[in-house]
Amino acid sequence: DAGVTQSPTHLIKTRGQHVTLRCSPISGHKSVSWYQQVLGQGPQFIFQYYEKEERGRGNFPDRFSARQFPNYSSELNVNALLLGDSALYLCASSRRTSGDTDTQYFGPGTRLTVL
Amino acid sequence: RKEVEQDPGPFNVPEGATVAFNCTYSNSASQSFFWYRQDCRKEPKLLMSVYSSGNEDGRFTAQLNRASQYISLLIRDSKLSDSATYLCVVNPLASNTGKLIFGQGTTLQVKP
């Protein structure tokens, strides 16, 4: 079975632009979470979606938004890009929203560079 | 204070050595604990879950001390292929969102 897929793999944008990142979860998984990982730090939670509804939001500004589609794929949108948004954006899928036995599987990430 | 704290290292050890990493967490209500492994410029991958009774998977042993709010990972007989960043991860669970809180990561470099 295919794992979590993300597109694009790399992206270069300039300050003030908008970006859309895409994620397809593992088949059968209904939950998608987004994380931001800046160099030298662990991933930081941005959003979780389950059954097309937002179930959790991290401490990120309103410039960050996301949605989940009927096929459970997801998009992360970032408006008015800042230099500090340069990071690896990771998508993770799981079968459910929570549960200590519900493993989150990560995609390869999208590496965003803001110039 | 960070919610999950780890010594970033790097830990430089020879092949065959035993190495231990510790991690502390601040939320005493946290329910689930994990160690993830992340290779350079790759995604994190689940190494093992951590249970109160402790658990072992081959050369890897994870332990949880709820009273002191720390988690440990022991790697025995280190291999060159163990070189990676090890991320301590906590799921608070109380929010029922599946949100994972990651530590900064500890870098391990195993040398021949």
Side-chain angles (χ1 to χ4, degrees):
Chain A
D1 282 343
V4 179
T5 59
Q6 292 186 243
S7 63
T9 54
H10 295 83
L11 203 51
I12 299 175
K13 293 284 190 178
T14 56
R15 279 177 296 176
Q17 285 189 309
H18 161 90
V19 68
T20 298
L21 310 181
R22 295 178 176 84
C23 170
S24 291
I26 292 170
S27 177
H29 286 193
K30 298 182 178 181
S31 177
V32 170
S33 299
W34 287 95
Y35 293 81
Q36 180 197 64
Q37 186 176 25
V38 299
L39 199 62
Q41 300 297 318
Q44 193 170 358
F45 175 76
I46 309 175
F47 287 110
Q48 185 186 40
Y49 277 77
Y50 178 73
E51 292 282 13
K52 294 168 288 182
E53 290 188 8
E54 182 185 300
R55 296 301 181 98
R57 172 185 285 256
N59 189 22
F60 279 81
D62 291 344
R63 298 185 296 108
F64 289 76
S65 64
R67 56 179 175 167
Q68 187 176 33
F69 299 100
N71 66 354
Y72 304 109
S73 67
S74 178
E75 283 183 354
L76 175 69
N77 296 284
V78 187
N79 292 324
L81 285 168
L82 303 174
L83 296 179
D85 295 332
S86 295
L88 179 67
Y89 288 85
L90 294 159
C91 172
S93 81
S94 59
R95 290 187 186 278
R96 298 175 289 134
T97 56
S98 61
D100 58 359
T101 58
D102 197 30
T103 300
Q104 291 192 22
Y105 297 89
F106 285 83
T110 293
R111 192 164 297 278
L112 172 66
T113 302
V114 182
L115 302 176
Chain B
R1 181 185 174 188
K2 291 181 181 178
E3 293 182 86
V4 178
E5 293 204 63
Q6 295 180 252
D7 178 350
F11 284 62
N12 295 300
V13 303
E15 267 187 296
T18 295
V19 61
F21 307 137
N22 289 328
C23 157
T24 58
Y25 60 95
S26 61
N27 184 349
S28 60
S30 297
Q31 299 293 317
S32 306
F33 309 89
F34 310 91
W35 284 100
Y36 274 73
R37 170 193 168 129
Q38 186 171 28
D39 292 294
C40 188
R41 302 182 77 81
K42 299 283 191 181
E43 72 273 24
K45 292 185 178 177
L46 180 66
L47 180 65
M48 57 199 307
S49 300
V50 188
Y51 304 113
S52 295
S53 55
N55 48 305
E56 187 174 311
D57 182 4
R59 297 180 294 107
F60 299 83
T61 301
Q63 300 230 308
L64 167 65
N65 184 320
R66 285 189 184 271
S68 302
Q69 294 178 217
Y70 82 76
I71 307 151
S72 65
L73 177 68
L74 183 77
I75 306 175
R76 291 180 298 277
D77 188 23
S78 299
K79 311 291 185 191
L80 294 176
S81 57
D82 293 334
S83 298
T85 295
Y86 291 83
L87 296 160
C88 176
V89 186
V90 173
N91 182 344
L93 204 60
S95 61
N96 199 36
T97 64
K99 167 184 175 180
L100 296 180
I101 302 173
F102 286 78
Q104 179 182 0
T106 297
T107 299
L108 172 65
Q109 190 68 243
V110 181
K111 298 187 180 300

